[in-house]
Amino acid sequence: MKARPDSPTPAINRSIRGYSVHFDEAILEWSRSEGRVNLSILGTKVSGRDGKVVVQAPKAALDFSASELLAGHLGLKRFSLVGVQLAAMRARDGSLHLGFESGNNAPDLLETIRMILKDTGDSGGSLQSFAVIDARLAFRDEGSGLFVVFPRARLTLDGKNGKGFGAAFQSAVEISGSPSQLKLTASLRENGTPEEGAITIGGLSFPALVKNSSWFAPLTPYRLTADAELHLKFGTQYDVVSAVFHTGGKGVIDHSVLGRDLDLERFDAAGTYDAGAGRLVVETAEIRSKQASGKGSASVAFALKDGMLDRLSGSAAVHDANFELPGFLRQKLAVPKLLLNASYDRAASLLRWDSAHIEAGSLMADLSGSVALGGGGSPAVTLSGTLGAMRIRDLLTYWPIGKGLGAYEWIAENISEGRIGPIRIDLDAPAGAFDAETLPDNAIRASFAYENLSAKYIDGMTPLTAGKGEAVLTGDNFRATLQTGAIGPLPIT
């Protein structure tokens, strides 16, 4: 059934208290399947108390209560603007304004819709829900400079019988021409601040963010595409007090971070955040790539100062990890187990690990140390600890490429058999030391005992066998003291 009502405007405005609706044409439709009466109106304008137009749309859909209609009343339950084209901006204070200019006179769009529902409920109006459907929204965030286009957006705000409001937003997203998806749901308090909410993001491009705004320039090395799900609880000032998160994606971390491109086939992480307790927990994490793969978890305690990270400390566990870095490692490195306890002090620009336990094939290590961040060139590094006993030829497989070449080449050419360890390592490398081809002799010292050594000590002479003694390795030198052994049939004591 279709009808053209003579003048539903007074009835509509009785339902929406504090604001007035004007339109050019109306068509009334009865939906038998939905059991309700829909009113489609063209040329819609919503005006505030001062008579100024708050928002307008080419079309609106109004849902009325069938029971009230039969009783001779038009009770508006849902008011939907259709096909709106809007420009909106999120100001630095969190308010959302129409247009790209903020100021004392710029109306807050969400606040306007919220007040329509609040005023209607407080004064006995029937309106329960306000929606914007099939909208094209151009959006700018004043704080970050981010500019986003939502080509087909849907926004809904529902009253909850004096107990706040429910909000939902869903749309495709275009950021610098890159498509993604966004879905938001939230429960709002009476004053409009969020109490809790959920965010789902699909296909977010980091390069698109970098291209869009200089605020995202720190993400430049991370050519990633990510999905994310977040469930959030908020304080009274828009602050996040707790969160449950899950994120994953793929892409490339370029050479400026790790020395060579890291092509991630997949990364995935899930965990929780508690602002009151100052703790971030990564319950599960996994990365898969040709150069590195592994699984792990972490728990981090943090402290903020002036809204910025000041200190953090925590532990992490990594298992089933594999590393293949041809520019640094001589062969693929399998790490079945890695345990780490570390801390960071922003004021001192110091990253410290109190303990690191590593199991990687024949390599077993327990280490502690620090890295002084900031400044140009390679950072200052300290390291001390013990490596478990192993075959000398196995040690060479873990030797970093390009570091301590003199000692490495001598051992590789002259020692064919033997076992060393435990190995005591002490490293104190000043800033810039790792930029040179060799480390200074006083920057590193590794001392160890050896046994069953077979070595060539002078070209043309019979090799040493069954050697036992002690040795010291420094930046580019190797010195050994022989206690017992044999040269051919002659014993050495």
Side-chain angles (χ1 to χ4, degrees):
M1 179 186 74
K2 293 186 179 182
R4 293 183 181 274
D6 292 333
S7 182
T9 303
I12 296 171
N13 289 324
R14 282 195 299 272
S15 300
I16 303 177
R17 305 298 173 86
Y19 294 82
S20 59
V21 178
H22 306 275
F23 57 89
D24 299 332
E25 184 180 8
I27 300 175
L28 194 63
E29 298 178 307
W30 162 255
S31 173
R32 182 183 302 275
S33 61
E34 298 177 352
R36 66 185 185 186
V37 177
N38 300 327
L39 179 64
S40 296
I41 58 180
L42 307 178
T44 309
K45 297 180 178 66
V46 180
S47 301
R49 297 175 180 83
D50 56 4
K52 293 182 179 180
V53 176
V54 176
V55 66
Q56 57 184 347
K59 181 181 178 181
L62 286 76
D63 299 346
F64 292 90
S65 167
S67 59
E68 291 194 27
L69 181 65
L70 293 174
H73 306 291
L74 282 177
L76 182 61
K77 297 175 61 178
R78 181 183 180 90
F79 185 22
S80 303
L81 296 174
V82 182
V84 182
Q85 294 194 26
L86 295 174
M89 183 187 72
R90 179 184 178 275
R92 297 181 190 275
D93 62 4
S95 59
L96 183 67
H97 301 281
L98 295 175
F100 285 157
E101 294 184 5
S102 62
N104 294 330
N105 297 322
D108 183 335
L109 177 59
L110 290 180
E111 179 67 7
T112 297
I113 299 174
R114 186 184 70 83
M115 288 306 299
I116 289 176
L117 292 173
K118 184 178 186 302
D119 290 352
T120 297
D122 291 347
S123 57
S126 60
L127 186 66
Q128 300 173 3
S129 177
F130 196 109
V132 178
I133 301 172
D134 291 341
R136 182 174 178 84
L137 174 63
F139 172 82
R140 183 167 71 88
D141 182 71
E142 186 177 40
S144 66
L146 178 68
F147 178 79
V148 180
V149 175
F150 300 96
R152 194 177 179 88
R154 182 185 184 96
L155 170 67
T156 304
L157 198 63
D158 297 309
K160 293 162 60 176
N161 299 322
K163 298 181 180 179
F165 305 88
F169 179 85
Q170 184 171 356
S171 180
V173 186
E174 294 178 4
I175 304 175
S176 302
S178 177
S180 56
Q181 295 287 330
L182 175 65
K183 181 179 180 181
L184 309 172
T185 59
S187 294
L188 309 180
R189 300 181 180 90
E190 276 289 295
N191 63 2
T193 60
E195 186 173 17
E196 58 182 309
I199 303 173
T200 302
I201 302 171
L204 179 63
S205 168
F206 285 29
L209 291 173
V210 172
K211 183 179 179 181
N212 192 275
S213 170
S214 60
W215 195 83
F216 296 98
L219 297 178
T220 299
Y222 304 94
R223 304 194 300 272
L224 307 173
T225 300
D227 305 323
E229 294 182 10
L230 299 94
H231 296 270
L232 310 168
K233 291 187 177 180
F234 297 89
T236 57
Q237 302 297 320
Y238 295 94
D239 51 314
V240 177
V241 297
S242 66
V244 178
F245 63 88
H246 179 210
T247 184
K250 61 182 180 179
V252 176
I253 301 176
D254 76 21
H255 65 278
S256 64
V257 177
L258 300 173
R260 60 172 296 160
D261 287 355
L262 178 62
D263 189 356
L264 292 172
E265 299 170 3
R266 180 68 185 172
F267 66 87
D268 192 274
T272 60
Y273 165 82
D274 189 327
R279 183 163 295 277
L280 173 68
V281 177
V282 180
E283 296 171 349
T284 61
E286 181 178 7
I287 64 169
R288 296 197 305 267
S289 74
K290 181 179 179 181
Q291 300 97 325
S293 62
K295 301 176 182 179
S297 59
S299 179
V300 178
F302 60 87
L304 304 178
K305 184 177 182 180
D306 300 326
M308 298 181 63
L309 179 65
D310 186 50
R311 298 183 309 277
L312 63 81
S313 61
S315 60
V318 177
H319 56 91
D320 299 331
N322 291 280
F323 301 93
E324 188 172 351
L325 304 173
F328 183 72
L329 299 176
R330 299 176 186 276
Q331 66 177 34
K332 186 175 182 179
L333 176 64
V335 183
K337 185 177 181 180
L338 187 154
L339 303 175
L340 177 68
N341 288 285
S343 61
Y344 169 71
D345 188 323
R346 183 174 66 90
S349 296
L350 187 67
L351 174 64
R352 183 189 305 276
W353 56 95
D354 300 314
S355 64
H357 174 76
I358 305 170
E359 297 179 9
S362 58
L363 174 65
M364 301 279 287
D366 288 283
L367 305 167
S368 62
S370 65
V371 177
L373 305 173
S378 60
V381 179
T382 65
L383 180 71
S384 61
T386 303
L387 275 66
M390 70 180 76
R391 292 177 61 248
I392 292 178
R393 306 305 294 187
D394 289 339
L395 173 65
L396 295 180
T397 64
Y398 301 113
W399 202 294
I401 293 175
K403 304 303 178 184
L405 286 177
Y408 173 85
E409 290 173 353
W410 190 91
I411 295 173
E413 292 175 4
N414 295 286
I415 299 179
S416 57
E417 294 291 341
R419 186 172 179 82
I420 61 172
I423 306 172
R424 174 67 193 183
I425 296 178
D426 292 286
L427 170 69
D428 189 358
F434 284 98
D435 296 327
E437 291 186 4
T438 60
L439 291 173
D441 267 2
N442 60 356
I444 182 171
R445 176 185 173 87
S447 57
F448 53 88
Y450 62 88
E451 61 184 4
N452 297 323
L453 183 72
S454 295
K456 180 175 63 175
Y457 57 97
I458 299 177
D459 287 341
M461 298 292 291
T462 302
L464 168 72
T465 59
K468 181 179 180 180
E470 296 179 347
V472 175
L473 171 69
T474 58
D476 201 35
N477 290 282
F478 177 73
R479 298 185 296 275
T481 301
L482 181 65
Q483 297 172 344
T484 62
I487 298 178
L490 301 176
I492 299 176
T493 59

